[in-house]
């Protein structure tokens, strides 16, 4: 295979996902409704009562709505990763996913291309949310919007790979909604998205321990520090490590010769 074949396949996969996103306008609005409800209603209600003391990466006292913005950004990416994996389950049932995976291109390249396509969609959703948040008084450092882009790509890839791994275990499309909720909400609430870790430790030691082992926490902190032109090296290492693990397991799971798909085929044949 020549580089041109790889580039053509990559462009085709990305454009297909973008066209699907543009045709599903409700998907765009649904992605914005959830974080905006938290920002406008929940955060605004607690803005006068709760504030965040001076902790890295903040150089001064900040309001609560500014603090939770990185967590809401990560929530958009997590929901989009699960939504993209839902479309993979649908494509697998309809047969288009099987056609894609039987092409001469390496399986890992096809899956990573699909991941990047999902991240492209999530970036559009994230920056639209940040624009709306700006008009509601959430002002971040001007250069932070650009500096956060690499962090957003990494975290989006990690969440997409997690969703892809989850989708490989789903047998029927109807079962996916429950599994989405089982993955999304525990990851979001048991993290530093809503409260700093030191507050978690004061309130509940076992919940603080869960937050420490939650990859979502490190995704939020990576985005938070990036907005303020800083790098949280521990968060970067965890996100990269989880991305590699999730992608590797997804490639294995979607391999019909050794992965989960082989066991599904065998079970279907036995039935």
């Amino acid at each position: 295979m020549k580089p041109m074949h790889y580039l053509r396949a990559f462009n085709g996969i990305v454009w297909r996902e973008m066209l699907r996103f543009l045709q599903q306008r409700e998907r765009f609005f649904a992605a914005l409704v959830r974080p905006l409800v938290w920002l406008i209603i929940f955060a605004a209600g607690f803005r006068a009562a709760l504030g965040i003391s001076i902790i890295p990466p903040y150089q001064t006292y900040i309001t609560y709505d500014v603090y939770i913005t990185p967590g809401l950004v990560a929530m958009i990416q997590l929901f989009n990763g699960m939504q993209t994996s839902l479309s993979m389950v649908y494509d697998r049932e309809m047969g288009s996913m099987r056609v894609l995976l039987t092409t001469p291109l390496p399986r890992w390249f096809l899956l990573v291309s699909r991941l990047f396509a999902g991240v492209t969609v999530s970036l559009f959703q994230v920056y639209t949310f940040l624009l709306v948040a700006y008009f509601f008084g959430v002002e971040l450092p001007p250069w932070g919007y650009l500096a956060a882009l690499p962090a957003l790509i990494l975290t989006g890839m990690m969440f997409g790979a997690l969703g892809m791994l989850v989708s490989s275990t789903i047998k029927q499309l109807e079962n996916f909604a429950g599994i989405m909720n089982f993955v999304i909400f525990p990851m979001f609430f048991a993290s530093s998205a809503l409260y700093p870790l030191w507050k978690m430790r004061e309130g509940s030691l076992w919940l603080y321990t869960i937050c420490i082992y939650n990859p979502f926490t490190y995704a939020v902190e990576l985005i938070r520090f990036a907005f303020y032109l800083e790098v949280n090296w521990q968060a970067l290492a965890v996100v990269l490590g989880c991305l590699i693990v999730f992608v590797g397991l997804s490639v294995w799971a979607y391999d019909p010769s050794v992965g989960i798909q082989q066991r599904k085929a065998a079970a279907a044949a036995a039935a």
Side-chain angles (χ1 to χ4, degrees), residues 67-107:
Y67 175 82
I68 69 170
T69 297
L72 297 179
V73 167
M75 182 175 71
I76 292 174
Q77 291 191 304
L78 179 59
F79 269 96
N80 183 78
M82 294 295 111
Q83 189 72 27
T84 301
S85 61
L86 174 62
S87 67
M88 292 185 67
V89 176
Y90 178 82
D91 289 346
R92 194 176 66 215
E93 288 194 353
M94 296 297 103
S96 57
M97 189 66 184
R98 298 174 186 174
V99 173
L100 177 65
L101 294 178
T102 55
T103 61
L105 292 167
R107 189 176 302 272

Side-chain angles (χ1 to χ4, degrees), residues 183-253:
V183 172
I184 291 173
F185 290 109
M187 289 188 71
F188 176 69
F189 288 108
S191 71
S192 60
L194 299 179
Y195 306 103
L197 291 179
W198 66 268
K199 281 186 175 289
M200 291 282 191
R201 182 167 51 189
E202 288 182 353
S204 174
L205 185 58
W206 67 268
L207 183 56
Y208 167 77
T209 304
I210 294 176
C211 294
I212 289 295
Y213 289 98
N214 184 1
F216 191 86
T217 295
Y218 298 95
V220 171
E221 294 306 309
L222 183 64
I223 296 172
R224 190 190 311 281
F225 276 74
F227 276 134
Y228 290 86
L229 310 181
E230 298 183 26
V231 179
N232 187 320
W233 294 104
Q234 181 185 17
L236 178 60
V238 172
V239 169
L240 281 175
C242 290
L243 172 59
I244 293 172
V245 171
F246 293 155
V247 169
L249 290 176
S250 298
V251 173
W252 172 82

